[in-house]
């Protein structure tokens, strides 16, 4: 397990009642790049049509340490699980060395705040020198420091100007 993953688990676990997990997830592909939530929901919906129960799972992809930039990128992500406990991901990836972190607190927060948030995908994080920053503007690569990984800090809200 990456040091950044261990650090992230410790920092995030303080702000969720759900036990964070590092599952084994099989990459099967077939989805669209940059559409993890839509890909996961497509599997759930296809399963309903076929009489198979799939669930959408929320969490994070911890990227390998970037030595050149002295940082680690942590991307909020969605994938699927089945009734046998298998987890799989249909979203394509450019990095197959990333580590999955299952964070049910995100799902729970989204369910309770669906009308208030702009997206079912939380902001991604940059971890550098023991500090976390939120990616608030993907187009300009604008970041904002965050002192804690509280679930409510990880989302954009309808009333925000961002």
């Amino acid at each position: 397990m990456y040091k950044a993953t261990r650090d992230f688990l410790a920092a995030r676990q303080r702000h969720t009642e759900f036990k964070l997990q590092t599952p084994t997830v099989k990459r099967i592909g077939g989805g669209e790049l940059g559409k993890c939530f839509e890909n996961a929901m497509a599997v759930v919906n296809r399963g309903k049509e076929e009489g198979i129960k799939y669930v959408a799972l929320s969490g994070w992809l911890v990227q390998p340490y970037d030595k050149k930039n002295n940082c680690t990128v942590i991307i909020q992500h969605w994938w699927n699980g089945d009734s046998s406990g298998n987890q799989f991901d249909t979203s394509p990836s450019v990095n197959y060395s990333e580590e999955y972190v299952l964070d049910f607190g995100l799902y729970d927060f989204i369910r309770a705040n669906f009308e208030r948030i702009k997206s079912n995908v939380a902001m991604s994080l940059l971890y550098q020198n023991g500090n976390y920053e939120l990616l608030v503007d993907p187009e300009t690569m604008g970041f904002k420091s965050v002192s804690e990984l509280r679930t409510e800090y990880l989302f954009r809200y309808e009333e925000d100007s961002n």
Side-chain angles (χ1 to χ4, degrees), residues 74-91:
I74 303 172
I75 301 167
Q76 205 275 294
H77 191 63
W78 287 84
W79 62 95
N80 295 95
D82 65 20
S83 58
S84 298
N86 300 306
Q87 295 184 29
F88 58 95
D89 192 349
T90 60
S91 294

Side-chain angles (χ1 to χ4, degrees), residues 39-150:
N39 293 337
M41 290 310 299
V43 170
V44 169
N45 292 332
R46 190 169 52 250
K48 284 180 185 175
E49 292 171 5
E50 298 171 359
I52 303 169
K53 182 172 172 71
Y54 294 116
V55 294
L57 301 169
S58 60
W60 306 89
L61 294 174
V62 180
Q63 303 298 303
Y65 173 70
D66 179 343
K67 187 183 281 188
K68 178 182 173 194
N69 294 305
N70 184 33
C71 65
T72 300
V73 174
I74 303 172
I75 301 167
Q76 205 275 294
H77 191 63
W78 287 84
W79 62 95
N80 295 95
D82 65 20
S83 58
S84 298
N86 300 306
Q87 295 184 29
F88 58 95
D89 192 349
T90 60
S91 294
S93 176
V94 294
N95 187 338
Y96 289 92
S97 299
E98 56 211 356
E99 295 178 337
Y100 284 80
V101 174
L102 180 63
D103 186 344
F104 191 74
L106 296 175
Y107 177 89
D108 192 56
F109 182 83
I110 291 165
R111 186 182 48 76
N113 294 279
F114 184 75
E115 299 295 325
R116 295 180 49 225
I117 58 175
K118 287 187 177 184
S119 172
N120 289 328
V121 180
M123 290 180 270
S124 292
L125 300 162
L126 183 71
Y127 181 56
Q128 187 172 40
N129 300 321
N131 298 307
Y132 292 94
E133 295 182 13
L134 294 168
L135 178 60
V136 294
D137 189 343
E139 290 180 20
T140 65
M141 293 305 289
F143 289 89
K144 177 178 91 172
S145 292
V146 63
S147 59
E148 300 175 297
L149 297 181
R150 292 181 180 275

